[in-house]
Amino acid sequence: MELTTIWFVLIAVLWIGYFVLEGFDFGVGTLLPVLGRNEGAGGATGETRRRQMLGAIGPFWDGNEVWLLTAGGATFAAFPHWYATLFSGFYLPLLLILVALICRGIGLEYRGKVDSAAWRRRMDVMIVGGSVVPAFLWGVAFTNIVRGVPIDADMEYVGGFWNLLGPAALLGGLVTLTLFLTHGAFFVALKTDGRLRHDARALALRLGLVGAVLAVVWLWVVHASTGTPLSWALAGAGALALVGGLVAGRGGREGWAFTGTFVAIALATASLFVALFPDVMPSSLDPAWSLTTENAASSQKTLGIMTVVAAVFTPLVLAYQSWSYWTFRRRISGHHIPTDVHPAAATDETVARDDGAVSTR
Amino acid sequence: MDALDLARWQFGITTVYHYFFVPITIGLSLLVAVMQTRWLQTRDPGWLRLTKFFGKLFAINFALGLVTGIVQEFQFGMNWSDYSRFVGDIFGAPLAIEALLAFFLESTFLGLWLFGWGRIPEKLHLAAIWLVHLGTVLSAYFILTANSFMQHPVGYHINPQTGRAELTDFLAVLTNKVQLVAFPHVLAAAWMTGAAFVLAFCLWHLWRSTDRTPAADKPMYRKGAKLGAWALLVAGLAVTVTGDLQGKVMTDVQPMKMAAAEGLYEDVPEGVGAPFSIITVGTLDGREEIWAVTVPKLLSYLATGSMEGAVEGINHIQERYELTYAGSELTESEDYRPVIPVTYWSFRIMIGLGMAAMAVAAGALWVLRGRGSEHDETRMVGSRLWGWAAAVVLFMPLLANSFGWIFTEMGRQPWLVMGLMTTRTGVSPGTTGAEVLTSMTVFTLLYGALAVVEVGLTLRYGRAGAEPVAEDLSLDPADRTDDDAFVFTY
């Protein structure tokens, strides 16, 4: 296989890894206000449920996001023109994604640092907004990439901002958003216990139905214009995996349900890359101006070195990241959430609630 | 201002801001790892408390370094697309390797460390923080590999068909002579910053009255302050030695930057010895001085290693470059001089702040000498001098780092890649001034707001001090059951 093809596949793998992993933590972040409600008399409080959800993604979300950084870095190294055209061309949507990711990371890390309802509300807004926006915009971006955008003879994007928000692209955004929400809800069902687990599963089934319908329409639209037999087959298999996941979810088998959405997102993303190949950014103005795996690529020397580096270190990364998931495999119940407050986080609210007795652990 | 100026300002603002958190993260992860190692060795609860105290402060600072780092990964493509096209073949590789080798390691093991208290075995938990530190060190290596290529391109050729730089020797890129001196310099400077962070907060708790920081906690902070001070001094020594080596390399590959560091306009021939001015009052660019403190022959020593070595002046280099680089769109420039007041002063501020931090550390070690009788523990309480020292020592290495980078990058101008491409020609041609103005405004406002939150939290947790540890709380997972609440979760 040509080195350029190998790198096209590797970059596809990095985006697949990013979407199947960060997809669920986007979903969990977005569903915070939906699933994090009070259970009523005798049940868990909304705050406990929110902390169960956040605790479930806590050790992982940052590592998941690195898949994006690696995809960006790998594109820069292997296909500099792709990197340059895409990121300078999709300037404002990318700015929105960056701002969202910044807010989200800060929201997640700082939420528990001050014990005040107002503080937590503000951080929740950052987490929810920071999860919705990229979950939607990645779908918009990829629909545009696959369907082609105005690129001139100098490999520059000349379409402007609004051109990126066509109907198919907006539909793509809704598809990634609903799929990530379903994926995230199944993750909550898989990783928590108590009523939260059952509420999450029920919600996932409803979201999954909407997502399945939207995804089928969208994949049809995308592959009708650029599809190949293989991309159709992958898209079809992805749709089947989603249905299979929903059936498993109905039967209460959360592990298989999560696997279903995991595989569905992976196959749908794979189908996009297959439809794209051998272009990396087709031009809608003139096919001769499209960026391809050949004209956008780095030298054979760079690709060769990077192949060795990737072959050695990717298995290592997969091994320790999997081990981290294994280490934190236990379901999180309400009683796992500590009730004591760090002395530095304590506020008047803490004092009022605990009647002056701030725990000192 | 046009799109080029705005893109430069945006890169400067976002990068200087990002780099506040980088040295803190690199340095503090090392210090926390050392504290936690001491805890497992000695089982002295003081070390555990310090580990958790600085671990919290580390997490607060890491978060901002992380999120602002994402911007850095994409900004080359967004704002410097022609640069990305021109050098992607060489520059992209270390960036991709940095993500694969360093970012995965840092993020995964930081997750394990933060959430792993009481959930993974103690030794594994200790290994996690050491691996976080290793990740930060690897990250520094590869991003400096990329940066060193901009200061002194090696291991490439220009493809005559495409006009782009292409890799010919990756080992040469990884062992660029600029890299070999910059990496230890930057790493030691980051350790200095982390050490100053520890020293500052421990000194502050030693300075506070016993009503606010219990007398029983003073010995713990004394231990922490001594660790911070020693680490600062050792790292500071390494910064000095590597900085000196850097001067020689810089004279060799970027003579204009060295001349601009002193504002030396005219050549100083062999056998005379160029002086170095510690401080100058005169015109900003050092052309005319009214009053100056100078050390004879020091510039010659810094630049060449010999007291009487020849140093080329700005004017001569300018003439030379005009002849060498004329006639090509990529390398042509009206002026090959950086902004002299910026290089002149940032160079001095960097050195001055670093030296001052080492003086504070040495002073602290002197005051904290002895075996730790009650008198030693409370010697600093209420002292005006040490209250101020604690407050300012935190910022000395931190700002020295910033000014060091401002010197390095502003001193490289007008080059984007020394001798190959000017900054002007690297900017994204299709990105409008309005777009860049939008992003610059958004980043500046957002970063400003986050700075307020971050500093607020750092002070809040710093002021609260090291939390007491309960006697009955074991952090060994073997002593805990599935029903116990987590030690830490969001």
Side-chain angles (χ1 to χ4, degrees), chain A residues 87-273:
Chain A
F87 292 153
S88 65
F90 291 13
Y91 193 86
L92 292 178
L94 197 63
L95 172 66
L96 281 173
I97 287 175
L98 291 176
V99 168
L101 292 180
I102 291 171
C103 290
R104 196 175 92 100
I106 292 300
L108 286 167
E109 284 295 328
Y110 287 0
R111 185 182 190 276
K113 295 277 183 263
V114 179
D115 182 30
S116 126
W119 172 268
R120 281 191 291 268
R121 259 198 309 278
R122 277 197 292 274
M123 294 299 140
D124 286 352
V125 168
M126 287 171 41
I127 295 170
V128 174
S131 301
V132 173
V133 169
F136 180 80
L137 286 179
W138 285 126
V140 172
F142 268 82
T143 311
N144 281 310
I145 292 172
V146 177
R147 285 170 61 86
V149 288
I151 292 174
D152 69 13
D154 297 326
M155 294 186 170
E156 293 297 334
Y157 173 77
V158 289
F161 176 64
W162 299 106
N163 199 35
L164 297 172
L165 300 178
L170 293 176
L171 176 63
L174 285 178
V175 169
T176 47
L177 179 60
T178 47
L179 287 184
F180 292 165
L181 287 176
T182 313
H183 196 38
F186 275 139
F187 185 75
V188 175
L190 180 64
K191 296 290 293 179
T192 63
D193 225 335
R195 254 175 67 188
L196 173 59
R197 170 184 176 182
H198 300 286
D199 292 350
R201 202 186 68 207
L203 181 64
L205 293 176
R206 277 181 284 158
L207 286 166
L209 277 181
V210 180
V213 173
L214 291 173
V216 167
V217 176
W218 174 64
L219 287 171
W220 202 279
V221 169
V222 171
H223 291 293
S225 59
T226 61
T228 65
L230 179 60
S231 77
W232 276 105
L234 288 169
L240 283 180
L242 181 57
V243 173
L246 294 175
V247 171
R250 247 184 97 84
R253 299 163 75 156
E254 286 122 351
W256 284 110
F258 180 72
T259 310
T261 46
F262 189 99
V263 173
I265 292 169
L267 289 175
T269 312
S271 82
L272 296 183
F273 276 91

Side-chain angles (χ1 to χ4, degrees), chain A residues 91 109-110 113 299 302 336 344, chain B residues 60 89 439 460-461 482 490:
Chain A
Y91 193 86
E109 284 295 328
Y110 287 0
K113 295 277 183 263
S299 66
T302 297
H336 286 129
Chain B
I60 290 167
D89 203 274
S439 58
R460 187 183 182 105
Y461 277 76
D482 276 4
Y490 280 152

Side-chain angles (χ1 to χ4, degrees), chain A residues 37-46 195:
Chain A
R37 297 225 187 99
N38 286 328
E39 290 178 3
T45 63
R195 254 175 67 188

Side-chain angles (χ1 to χ4, degrees), chain B residues 6 26 45 47 64 78 80 111 134 139 172 178 260 268 270 341-342 378 396 398 445 447:
Chain B
L6 289 165
I26 297 175
W47 285 119
L64 260 190
M78 291 171 78
W80 302 96
L134 177 65
S139 168
V178 172
V268 176
E270 182 81 39
V342 173
T378 52
M396 285 171 171
L398 189 62
L445 293 178
Y447 282 16

